[in-house]
Amino acid sequence: MNVSSALRFALAATAASLLLAACVSTPPSPPVVQDTTTPAQRLAAVEAIAGVDDTELSVQPLRDAQVDDLRENAISKRKAGDLAGAAEDLNQALMLVDNDPGILQERAEVALLQADWARAETLAKKAVDLGSRTGPLCRRHWATIEQSRLARAEKENAVSAHAQIEGCTVPGIKRF
């Protein structure tokens, strides 16, 4: 075999290799599962986890009349779909009493409805730090944290928050 035949053979082999390489495809990437949970569904999950249990002690602080008015206005605005107005009323209430876990939680829930996941988690965490470690309000705090993490696709962190919810329920005293 002479040099020109060897060169043609090498070029033909290279061309064949390139053609075969072009036929090889990469495996398709797994489909991305998009979370379609709405903010209202996330809030419904929070409310469902909180539950209504008359057997638990729920301690509520005494509130200033102005704060109560702001809370009531916020509830009305939220029901009417005015989330920005509800948030503003709760922000004003928090300027008066920034350490009230109930108001912090209500503001966190409005943030959840506004799809402001980071704010919802921040407010709920502050409420956890200031509030009771048991009862429906405690469960609402942790459920809000869980939902905000799920919304941001932080599944492992959401599982961690969900695990805290069980600790918020203290079994009743059995009397014989």
Side-chain angles (χ1 to χ4, degrees):
M1 202 188 301
N2 63 19
V3 173
S4 103
S5 296
L7 185 57
R8 274 189 248 150
F9 179 75
L11 285 174
T14 303
S17 295
L18 288 173
L19 286 173
L20 287 174
C23 292
V24 176
S25 64
T26 58
S29 59
V32 176
V33 178
Q34 191 165 4
D35 186 355
T36 59
T37 307
T38 67
Q41 290 170 324
R42 292 194 184 285
L43 181 59
V46 169
E47 291 169 342
I49 286 175
V52 188
D53 192 350
D54 293 339
T55 63
E56 289 182 276
L57 177 64
S58 180
V59 178
Q60 296 295 323
L62 294 176
R63 291 193 175 101
D64 178 276
Q66 185 180 4
V67 172
D68 273 340
D69 287 345
L70 288 166
R71 287 183 65 241
E72 291 302 319
N73 288 342
I75 291 168
S76 295
K77 288 178 182 178
R78 185 173 116 180
K79 288 179 180 176
D82 180 8
L83 297 178
E88 183 55 35
D89 284 345
L90 291 170
N91 288 341
Q92 287 181 27
L94 286 169
M95 287 177 21
L96 297 171
V97 286
D98 66 342
N99 61 351
D100 185 320
I103 296 173
L104 284 164
Q105 180 59 36
E106 290 169 16
R107 181 60 184 93
E109 290 172 3
V110 170
L112 204 60
L113 286 172
Q114 293 174 311
D116 188 348
W117 315 127
R119 175 172 277 186
E121 181 172 352
T122 299
L123 290 164
K125 279 182 176 178
K126 185 174 180 182
V128 165
D129 292 341
L130 295 170
S132 173
R133 302 284 190 249
T134 60
L137 191 57
C138 175
R139 289 191 295 274
R140 282 173 55 199
H141 301 327
W142 284 110
T144 301
I145 294 167
E146 175 191 27
Q147 288 300 317
S148 68
R149 290 175 178 177
L150 286 171
R152 294 189 315 255
E154 298 176 3
K155 292 186 194 275
E156 287 182 25
N157 291 334
V159 169
S160 172
H162 186 80
Q164 299 296 320
I165 293 170
E166 189 176 317
C168 293
T169 303
V170 176
I173 299 172
K174 293 183 181 181
R175 298 177 187 210
F176 299 96

